[in-house]
Amino acid sequence: MPAIENDVREFVTDNFLFGRNSVSLGGDDSLLEEGLIDSTGVLELVMFIEEKFDVAVADEELVPDNLDSINGLISFIEGKLEEAK
Amino acid sequence: MQLEEFLEQTAARTPDKVALISGSRHVTYREIETEANQIAHGLIARGVQRGDRVVLFLDNCVEAAVGVWAVLKAGAVFVMANPTTKPDKLAYLLNNSRASCIIAQTKRLRSCGAIWAETPHLRNVVVVGDPADVADCTHSMTGWSNLVAENIEKTQPPVKSCIDVDLAALVYTSGTTGNPKGVMLTHASMVAANRSITTYLRNTPDDIVLNVLPLSFDYGLYQWLMCCNFGGTLVLEKSFTYPHAVLDRMVKLGVTGFPIVPTIVAILLQLDLTKYDLSKLRYFSNTGASFPVEYILKLRKLLPEVTIFSMFGLTECKRVSYLPPEEIDRRTDSVGKAMPNCDTMILDDEGNELGPNEVGELVVRGSNVMNGYWEAPELTAQRLKPGKIPHEMWLYTGDLFRSDDEGFLYWVGRKDDIIKSRGEKVSPREVEDVLHQHSDIAEAAVVGVDDAVLGQAVRAVVRLQPDAELTVRDVQSHCRSFLEDFMVPQQVMFQDALPKTANGKIDKKLLVQA
């Protein structure tokens, strides 16, 4: 598993899956629709991205396309890292 | 009149008008009415009878909106389950209501395998999604789309079997005793509440109302029921998790009404609202928890053209009061006066009516008052007590209020220790029961503490067993596997001993201050 995906999955498993480890989360599954995330969760996610990858997330970037699935998160983080280069 | 006639009349009047916008779907009144009729015929064909309870276990989606009407059209009683309900609690709801049918998204049933053997009254499971996800279900199961397909020709409503004193809904709400109880609401009481509220909100068919609250929360549900009454459009969002995305949609769709709870205002006030053209927005309405005055003042400053309705209600009668918007700058902390067709009194413990500025219990009378708690006569007797007219029952709310010299109402607090967080009631006892199930927890107490965002935050104070080691996260994870999200404690504190009162009870007042 590539490094970014690994980190993202680990964070999501530790923080949002709680006792629901049996749920196999697909790359495109919506965290919101699976009932895994709420507004506090989004803020935790943003803090994680900013700290782990050393990038800044703007308010306007807090949209489902960027944050609501494992695959969305990966491409968002990749894009941010690319920007920072 | 029966509740579903609101939809039927509006669908007859404006069939091609968009009733519901959910994601990319724009659904007209005709489409809602037709599908609700098809599902209702399907439910009846599968044995759902007048007065049967049908549980809806869905997030905010088109099927949930259609399902409510379909259940009513079948003559049955709908029971909304919060989509984050865990299996044990779902089994409790199904058994307490003795539901004969559940309509659920398959993804919500994935971890519910154990409940099928424990729900003997259940005869039908209607699933939205892939039935393969619930292969372990031992009850008769069918897909939502199958029900529609089997009844594709049956576009007209089934023959009505109910009258307006029949039950329309059981709305489960937390109480001091731990297990939630079902508030019994008749068609007549829901019609009455619906009419009163749409009257004072001055709703018209031009209104486009945004709902980000769960339909399982009666405040969210009523947005849909009311839209179908006045013939407006409801924009149904799954949550307010992504405020920017929701605000973009508000602008794009020209939303005119936004029902909020203080938590949503807290988020709105953190954003730069000037980036959004909210010129179409006519009103905010707030209920569920007391509306912090500073929030109202800030909203007034940011959006002076938008009317604010500050309201008070409880599930047992839906809504009690609203502050006429022209009073908002003069009596910012008031929740106003009784809504149309509803009376209020403030009584002392002996039942004497109190004058201005005296604190007592708010008592409500009106057609909107519930018929009692489902199969819980003792709990019902604590809340519903005989009024002045023979056979009339008054609702004792458990909320402490005072009024000013002109009769405007001010919320003071609760008589019991119920917590109001994110606008929903949380029973400390229910959370404590879950904490006590953990073998590493020796003693636990749960209190509500003031919180700018949540209204009240849920605080758990825990004494661990000797040598046990648990983190805050461990305790929250444990709670999260048994409780709906809004009940999970945001604060967890560990103490070596819980403070006790003189008669040995845990001193919750001290825990609030800690």
Side-chain angles (χ1 to χ4, degrees):
Chain A
M1 204 184 285
I4 295 178
E5 175 166 3
N6 208 8
D7 289 339
V8 167
R9 277 201 176 269
E10 191 179 292
F11 180 81
V12 170
T13 307
D14 287 353
N15 291 278
F16 302 136
L17 285 172
F18 293 104
R20 288 172 277 187
N21 288 332
S22 56
V23 181
S24 57
L25 190 65
D28 290 321
D29 284 352
S30 158
L31 301 180
L32 197 55
E33 294 204 16
E34 295 294 329
L36 298 178
I37 201 168
D38 60 9
S39 44
T40 323
V42 170
L43 296 180
E44 288 176 29
L45 200 52
V46 170
M47 275 169 60
F48 158 74
I49 295 170
E50 293 188 333
E51 283 170 16
K52 182 89 193 173
F53 301 100
D54 196 21
V55 293
V57 180
D59 281 356
E60 289 77 7
E61 291 171 325
L62 303 182
V63 293
D65 281 352
N66 292 338
L67 303 173
D68 195 39
S69 67
I70 301 275
N71 289 345
L73 281 161
I74 295 169
S75 49
F76 175 59
I77 293 166
E78 283 172 352
K80 294 300 284 186
L81 292 174
E82 196 61 34
E83 250 174 55
K85 269 182 192 169
Chain B
M1 173 177 171
Q2 280 157 249
L3 190 56
E4 72 274 12
E5 290 175 57
F6 281 141
L7 170 68
E8 289 162 2
Q9 290 169 3
T10 302
R13 209 166 51 232
T14 54
D16 297 315
K17 174 149 195 204
V18 172
L20 185 71
I21 301 175
S22 172
S24 57
R25 292 179 67 183
H26 290 231
V27 193
T28 64
Y29 275 101
R30 180 191 284 112
E31 288 166 329
I32 298 278
E33 166 71 2
T34 303
E35 191 159 313
N37 288 337
Q38 289 161 334
I39 295 289
H41 282 288
L43 293 175
I44 292 168
R46 281 180 156 69
V48 171
Q49 295 180 350
R50 175 181 181 178
D52 275 7
R53 275 75 56 207
V54 177
V55 169
L56 295 158
F57 186 36
L58 304 150
D59 61 20
N60 283 3
C61 59
V62 175
E63 288 80 4
V66 172
V68 169
W69 297 118
V71 170
L72 293 172
K73 283 164 175 282
V77 181
F78 68 84
V79 182
M80 307 300 279
N82 184 299
T84 63
T85 303
K86 303 304 177 302
D88 287 356
K89 178 83 167 275
L90 183 64
Y92 169 82
L93 290 182
L94 289 165
N95 286 329
N96 184 267
S97 66
R98 282 179 285 110
S100 72
C101 178
I102 180 172
I103 303 176
Q105 280 158 320
T106 51
K107 61 186 173 195
R108 302 198 184 280
L109 295 176
R110 268 181 216 153
S111 52
C112 290
I115 71 166
W116 306 122
E118 299 166 12
T119 48
H121 309 287
L122 202 58
R123 291 194 298 276
N124 281 290
V125 179
V126 177
V127 294
V128 177
D130 183 359
D133 279 344
V134 253
D136 51 4
C137 177
T138 48
H139 297 290
S140 163
M141 190 167 70
T142 187
W144 175 280
S145 47
N146 278 354
L147 279 191
V148 172
E150 284 168 17
N151 297 281
I152 199 76
E153 308 289 330
K154 296 188 175 163
T155 57
Q156 295 304 306
V159 176
K160 288 205 184 303
S161 56
C162 290
I163 59 172
D164 74 354
V165 292
D166 279 310
L167 290 184
L170 289 185
V171 182
Y172 277 82
T173 181
S174 290
T176 46
T177 53
N179 279 330
K181 46 214 195 296
V183 171
M184 295 191 286
L185 297 169
T186 63
H187 285 265
S189 74
M190 294 186 81
V191 166
N194 194 321
R195 282 188 173 141
S196 297
I197 302 168
T198 51
T199 301
Y200 72 71
L201 290 177
R202 298 165 221 161
N203 285 121
T204 72
D206 291 331
D207 274 322
I208 300 172
V209 178
L210 171 67
N211 180 43
V212 300
L213 304 159
L215 290 174
S216 56
F217 179 23
D218 62 347
Y219 185 30
L221 172 71
Y222 261 77
Q223 304 309 325
W224 173 230
L225 301 179
M226 296 192 306
C227 262
C228 292
N229 170 13
F230 62 77
T233 300
L234 188 77
V235 179
L236 186 62
E237 292 290 313
K238 296 210 189 278
S239 72
F240 198 56
T241 307
Y242 294 102
H244 291 285
V246 174
L247 282 161
D248 276 338
R249 272 172 81 70
M250 269 179 90
V251 174
K252 191 167 152 238
L253 296 169
V255 163
T256 64
F258 189 6
I260 51 181
V261 292
T263 314
I264 293 175
V265 186
I267 296 169
L268 282 177
L269 292 175
Q270 288 167 9
L271 307 173
D272 180 5
L273 289 180
T274 57
K275 285 186 205 159
Y276 301 93
D277 172 15
L278 297 174
S279 55
K280 295 272 172 58
L281 189 63
R282 179 170 76 79
Y283 71 89
F284 286 112
S285 63
N286 178 75
T287 189
S290 54
F291 202 168
V293 168
E294 55 188 312
Y295 287 5
I296 299 180
L297 296 176
K298 284 182 184 161
L299 269 186
R300 292 286 296 146
K301 214 170 186 179
L302 277 171
L303 298 164
E305 305 301 319
V306 182
T307 300
I308 296 177
F309 289 91
S310 188
M311 325 188 288
F312 180 78
L314 61 162
T315 307
E316 286 81 347
C317 65
K318 178 53 213 158
R319 185 68 41 77
V320 177
S321 68
Y322 77 102
L323 181 69
E326 57 274 18
E327 296 283 343
I328 192 90
D329 296 326
R330 258 193 331 145
R331 304 175 213 267
T332 312
D333 53 341
S334 170
V335 290
K337 292 184 177 182
M339 67 176 180
N341 201 26
C342 181
D343 268 350
T344 57
M345 294 153 278
I346 297 175
L347 304 185
D348 68 12
D349 287 342
E350 280 73 50
N352 304 308
E353 192 155 357
L354 295 171
N357 299 311
E358 294 180 299
V359 173
E361 183 171 6
L362 184 74
V363 175
V364 181
R365 58 186 294 262
S367 302
N368 50 317
V369 169
M370 67 167 178
N371 272 32
Y373 297 118
W374 173 255
E375 296 182 342
E378 285 167 15
L379 292 173
T380 300
Q382 291 171 14
R383 286 276 169 258
L384 291 184
K385 298 176 188 173
K388 287 203 177 105
I389 303 171
H391 303 298
E392 189 201 19
M393 299 304 262
W394 288 357
L395 172 65
Y396 286 67
T397 60
D399 285 291
L400 296 171
F401 269 79
R402 67 176 176 85
S403 68
D404 63 20
D405 293 330
E406 290 171 66
F408 287 87
L409 299 169
Y410 299 79
W411 186 76
V412 176
R414 286 286 304 172
K415 281 186 89 175
D416 51 31
D417 63 353
I418 289 285
I419 301 167
K420 280 194 154 182
S421 190
R422 302 191 204 175
E424 302 209 51
K425 276 186 190 164
V426 179
S427 155
R429 171 76 183 278
E430 193 175 348
V431 183
E432 288 162 6
D433 286 349
V434 164
L435 290 167
H436 287 139
Q437 285 171 26
H438 197 296
S439 56
D440 286 343
I441 293 177
E443 195 176 20
V446 170
V447 292
V449 290
D450 289 343
D451 183 281
V453 176
L454 300 163
Q456 280 189 301
V458 181
R459 172 185 289 173
V461 185
V462 173
R463 177 168 68 83
L464 295 177
Q465 300 284 11
D467 302 328
E469 284 182 29
L470 285 182
T471 63
V472 169
R473 184 72 79 183
D474 292 335
V475 174
Q476 289 172 327
S477 304
H478 169 73
C479 290
R480 212 170 263 270
S481 29
F482 294 96
L483 296 168
E484 290 93 307
D485 292 349
F486 66 91
M487 297 186 184
V488 175
Q490 292 86 20
Q491 301 180 12
V492 178
M493 297 163 68
F494 298 100
Q495 290 190 359
D496 294 332
L498 299 186
K500 301 283 162 64
T501 61
N503 49 20
K505 284 187 169 178
I506 294 174
D507 190 340
K508 291 200 165 180
K509 284 199 181 111
L510 284 179
L511 297 181
V512 172
Q513 294 158 9

